[in-house]
Structure formats: C-alpha cells, structure tokens
Amino acid sequence: GESVGLHLPTLSVQEGDNSIINCAYSNSASDYFIWYKQESGKGPQFIIDIRSNMDKRQGQRVTVLLNKTVKHLSLQIAATQPGDSAVYFCAENTGTASKLTFGTGTRLQVTL
Amino acid sequence: EADIYQTPRYLVIGTGKKITLECSQTMGHDKMYWYQQDPGMELHLIHYSYGVNSTEKGDLSSESTVSRIRTEHFPLTLESARPSHTSQYLCASSRGQGFYGYTFGSGTRLTVV
C-alpha cells in the first residue's frame, strides 16, 4: 500500500549547521505534502507545505524540496538552533480524501 | 497559538472504565480528525469527520467511537478501556474547502492500568 517513510530515524547536527531531513513517498498521486515538528509532550506543529505543482518552497530558515521523479521530499533547516530539536514528520495527502498519511518521523538532535 | 483544545491532557484510568476524550476547535473548521500515536512513533488515523453528523473510520482499526453533533466538538469515547488502549490521542482540524493541512491539539496521553 501507499506509505511515507523517512530514511534516518535520528539526525544529530551541531548548532549553527544546516540540517537536511529526508522523506520518501510511494504514492505518485499525492498532490500535497507537509512537514510537521513535534516537541516532547506536544501536538505536531505546522512547519511548511508544498503542492505537487512546485518543486521548492521557502519559509523562514526552512526550505522544502520536492522531487516527483524519485518521489522524494526533504526539509532543510538553515543555521540549526537548539530550539529545533524535535521529531519531524512528513505527511502526504493523496487527493480526494482530505486525509494526511504520516511517515515514521526523524528525531533531530542539536548539539552545542 | 492553535485554537483547538483537548481535555484532559493526561488521564490514568482503570481497566473497564468508560472514558470520553474531548476535542473542541474555535476556527469553524468543517473537517476534524483523531490520530493515535505511540511514543516516538508515527501517527495513525482512527476517525475523521467532514462535518456535522458525518463520521468515518480511519486507517487504523480502533474500538473507540466518535460523534459530531456540533461543528466545533468532536469527542472520542471508549466504552471499556483496556491496557492496549494506552497511547497518545491527537485531535486535529482543517478547513473545508481544498486541503491546507491540519491544526493539531496538544493531545491526551491515556494510560489504562
């Protein structure tokens, strides 16, 4: 069946470095993708989204890249800060049903 | 600050008890969702609703039930709690037209002893 998965369960980066979190999806019909950040004990928080008619979208310190050819999504965080430490989920919407399918999640650890 | 509220935040309850997890949103969103999440794991959709009097089961089978009598309110009920129901339950909502992602509540962490 369709799935959204992440390559690395844990990513450790030094403060000030750039972080790249990757995500693979298998449903070529997906037309909307979203990244969430979840801190311990909290609900997921929206970071950035992208629709399938785009291949790049930038926010404040974050960039999402979408490669539909290889069904790959990435989240880039510039100048990573300790406050960025959290679990990051990618999710996709597969068209008519307004439901998101979530991946496993990647834990980002920021070291000083 | 998200305008979606879940109560209680934490609940420890004995096996066999009936429980209701509350979820309310003040954004006027038509669509609401319940996800179940074990610690450090992915989110699994257990129920969703596209509007008043509309409820559907999600991708993960659940013994819980939901109701949607008012737009802003989407409670989840377990008639007889079991230890296997121990998990975090997250409620979310989204706008009716098109698809713009979800706003999540802070979750209810349920422990059944």
Side-chain angles (χ1 to χ4, degrees):
Chain A
E2 292 82 15
S3 66
V4 178
L6 295 174
H7 295 296
L8 297 172
T10 303
L11 177 66
S12 185
V13 299
Q14 205 159 15
E15 182 180 5
D17 288 350
N18 296 334
S19 302
I20 300 176
I21 302 172
N22 295 302
C23 178
Y25 65 96
S26 58
N27 190 341
S28 57
S30 294
D31 58 3
Y32 176 81
F33 303 87
I34 189 167
W35 282 98
Y36 283 96
K37 171 187 180 183
Q38 187 175 28
E39 296 175 279
S40 181
K42 297 183 179 179
Q45 183 181 16
F46 171 89
I47 301 173
I48 192 167
D49 59 0
I50 188 167
R51 296 196 181 273
S52 58
N53 60 352
M54 303 172 68
D55 52 21
K56 181 179 180 179
R57 191 160 188 231
Q58 287 183 292
Q60 188 177 12
R61 281 201 307 119
V62 294
T63 300
V64 55
L65 298 177
L66 176 62
N67 186 331
K68 294 182 287 294
T69 303
V70 295
K71 299 197 199 79
H72 185 266
L73 189 71
S74 69
L75 176 70
Q76 300 178 0
I77 304 173
T80 311
Q81 302 169 358
D84 295 327
S85 293
V87 177
Y88 290 80
F89 292 94
C90 66
E92 61 178 325
N93 174 249
T94 53
T96 55
S98 296
K99 297 184 289 179
L100 286 175
T101 299
F102 284 80
T104 307
T106 292
R107 181 173 301 280
L108 177 64
Q109 294 177 332
V110 181
T111 58
L112 302 177
Chain B
E1 194 72 30
D3 296 323
I4 182 164
Y5 307 98
Q6 290 186 244
T7 57
R9 285 294 314 275
Y10 303 94
L11 179 62
V12 180
I13 201 162
T15 298
K17 299 291 186 183
K18 177 180 178 179
I19 58 170
T20 297
L21 308 184
E22 301 289 348
C23 177
S24 294
Q25 50 96 4
T26 59
M27 297 172 283
H29 287 172
D30 288 328
K31 300 171 186 173
M32 296 188 75
Y33 310 83
W34 277 102
Y35 280 80
Q36 185 174 340
Q37 182 186 31
D38 291 325
M41 302 297 286
E42 61 199 280
L43 285 74
H44 295 285
L45 180 67
I46 52 175
H47 298 283
Y48 61 100
S49 167
Y50 288 160
V52 171
N53 295 324
S54 152
T55 60
E56 302 285 345
K57 289 193 177 294
D59 304 321
L60 179 69
S61 176
S62 174
E63 294 167 343
S64 59
T65 60
V66 292
S67 62
R68 190 89 183 275
I69 299 172
R70 303 199 315 264
T71 298
E72 62 271 22
H73 197 213
F74 191 40
L76 181 145
T77 298
L78 275 165
E79 290 292 333
S80 180
R82 294 209 297 267
S84 61
H85 297 139
T86 295
S87 189
Q88 171 154 264
Y89 293 84
L90 289 159
C91 181
S93 69
S94 68
R95 283 192 268 172
Q97 295 181 348
F99 191 70
Y100 297 90
Y102 301 159
T103 300
F104 278 92
S106 297
T108 293
R109 182 162 296 284
L110 172 66
T111 302
V112 184
V113 297

